[in-house]
Amino acid sequence: MTEQSALDMPDTAACAFCDYLAGRRPFTIAARTEHIAVLVTREQRGLPHLLVIPIAHRPSILDLSDTELAALARGVKAAAHAITTAYARPGIAVWQNNGTPAHQTIPHTHFHVAGTLPEGGTNWGAVPEEPLELTDQIARVITPHLHLG
């Protein structure tokens, strides 16, 4: 449960996203501001697949302040724009899950933003974990087009 709701949240000893942001675990961070960060996920379900997260640990969307929510919305729009500009994808998928029954696996609010695959949609099945070299390359392509200001 979160402080704000009765959501059934994933039970984890440590927050992977907080560890990434603090540099305790390697992960590709394409950009960050005072309130949000854009990460390149190692599970690429689209072309490409980014995550927009709050800097502060917030388990679900219900735990966000209005300022954080507004910053996340701007970040999602910036990520979608960067994907269409850098990768010329014909579609953008955006999704966000809250609670274990909704398939949230990391208890830190995050929005998925992914360019569609050549056959359309995104990959909802099992995908390989990509190496950091690949996600770093995606960040090098995306970051010049990612305007969070």
Side-chain angles (χ1 to χ4, degrees), residues 36-41 43-53 72-84 87 89 91-96 110-116 121-122 124 138 142 146 148:
I36 67 165
V38 178
L39 289 69
V40 181
T41 183
E43 294 177 348
Q44 288 291 297
R45 299 183 179 283
L47 295 175
H49 180 178
L50 308 176
L51 301 172
V52 182
I53 70 171
L72 284 164
R74 288 189 302 274
V76 167
K77 180 180 178 182
H81 184 266
I83 289 169
T84 60
Y87 286 85
R89 301 312 311 146
I92 299 289
V94 176
W95 68 95
Q96 200 272 329
H110 55 286
F111 287 81
H112 298 261
V113 184
T116 53
T122 57
W124 288 94
I138 292 168
I142 281 289
L146 196 54
L148 299 177

Side-chain angles (χ1 to χ4, degrees), residues 102-133:
H103 305 288
Q104 182 180 8
T105 58
I106 297 176
H108 187 125
T109 303
H110 55 286
F111 287 81
H112 298 261
V113 184
T116 53
L117 300 170
E119 63 275 12
T122 57
N123 189 343
W124 288 94
V127 296
E129 185 173 285
E130 301 294 350
L132 285 172
E133 294 79 18

